[in-house]
Amino acid sequence: MTTPATYTRRFFARDSLTVARALVGGVLVHETRAGVSAGLIVEVEAYRGPSDRAAHSYGGRRTARNEVMYGAAGHSYVYFIYGIHYCINVVTGAVDVPEAVLIRALEPVDGLALMRRRRGLGKEAPAHLLCRGPGNVCRAMGIQGRDNGADLLCGALRIERGRRVPEARIVRAARIGVDYAGDHAALPWRLYDGASRSVSRAAGAGGRGSGLG
DNA sequence: TGTCCGATTGGT
DNA sequence: CCAATCGGACAG
């Protein structure tokens, strides 16, 4: 095997919508004592900083929780939500520009058995259900609060270059669970691969078509 | 310290 | 549609 290609700091240091688009097709990898797990990124959401009402950094809000959003791009922003789930973001933009990309779904490519175990699912569980939705991504990948701030350019938790997804397959829609953001809730800043069955339920999977022809 | 609420999920 | 479940944000 050859060494997998990685992204550069500069790649992540762009605006979050641009990075979000470029990350579809990337690969999230996590090496732990339990083993390696990895998945193709098929669904993301861009959170665009202080002007974005849906962002944790809206209005320049800066707390212990979202502090890493203000740091260098390419690091993880992991937070705990609803008393149950973790969500992982990739910090983007320049230092002091608090933007991020939320990883909402992966298409599993490695460590499927480990993912099933972490999810508490049987061996028959379909691959496309393992990392469907941001909470499930973290559960299946073994990502927790201690992974907040990790440098995703290298290390146990990282993002590698994967496949190039054609623009024609990219679906852009409103972000999920941000109704509190008023007008901003409708902006098309959720991007996903319309050809993937691994996208979250909210994105159109689990029933009818995905919106792609 | 007290209260409110969430970038979710899974089942009804 | 709704409950689960608890850390974070903020008012006092």
Side-chain angles (χ1 to χ4, degrees):
Chain A
M1 280 182 74
T2 57
T3 302
T6 57
Y7 292 110
T8 62
R9 190 74 60 197
R10 179 160 300 188
F11 170 89
F12 291 109
R14 295 176 291 171
D15 76 273
S16 61
L17 188 56
T18 298
V19 176
R21 165 63 182 93
L23 275 179
V24 177
V27 184
L28 181 64
V29 180
H30 197 193
E31 295 176 355
T32 70
R33 202 179 296 184
V36 180
S37 50
L40 273 173
I41 297 170
V42 295
E43 182 184 351
V44 296
E45 280 179 358
Y47 285 85
R48 312 194 66 185
S51 65
D52 180 358
R53 282 186 202 147
H56 288 173
S57 55
Y58 175 58
R61 185 170 44 189
R62 183 170 188 166
T63 67
R65 180 176 67 154
N66 71 0
E67 180 61 31
V68 297
M69 289 183 79
Y70 289 81
H75 290 260
S76 67
Y77 167 41
V78 179
Y79 66 89
F80 190 59
I81 191 67
Y82 289 110
I84 307 175
H85 310 284
Y86 286 102
C87 290
I88 182 172
N89 295 253
V90 182
V91 174
T92 70
V95 169
D96 285 331
V97 177
E99 302 186 356
V101 173
L102 172 68
I103 297 178
R104 287 191 58 88
L106 306 175
E107 188 175 303
V109 295
D110 197 13
L112 294 246
L114 178 55
M115 289 182 180
R116 290 190 175 92
R117 196 183 323 151
R118 286 168 171 156
R119 287 290 311 279
L121 301 173
K123 299 211 164 202
E124 339 72 41
H128 73 274
L129 295 182
L130 301 179
C131 303
R132 189 157 110 163
N136 289 330
V137 166
C138 287
R139 174 73 71 174
M141 294 289 289
I143 296 167
Q144 304 170 63
R146 68 184 315 93
D147 297 303
N148 184 47
D151 187 350
L152 299 173
L153 267 61
C154 53
L157 180 61
R158 62 183 183 275
I159 296 178
E160 298 172 356
R161 287 181 187 275
R163 307 174 182 175
R164 186 186 152 284
V165 178
E167 187 61 31
R169 262 167 51 193
I170 301 292
V171 179
R172 293 167 189 258
R175 292 171 294 182
I176 302 301
V178 295
D179 292 343
Y180 58 83
D183 300 347
H184 295 195
L187 296 170
W189 294 344
R190 170 160 56 93
L191 286 64
Y192 62 93
D193 181 346
S196 176
R197 284 166 227 148
S198 299
V199 296
S200 72
R201 181 169 192 163
R208 308 197 209 48
S210 61
L212 222 246

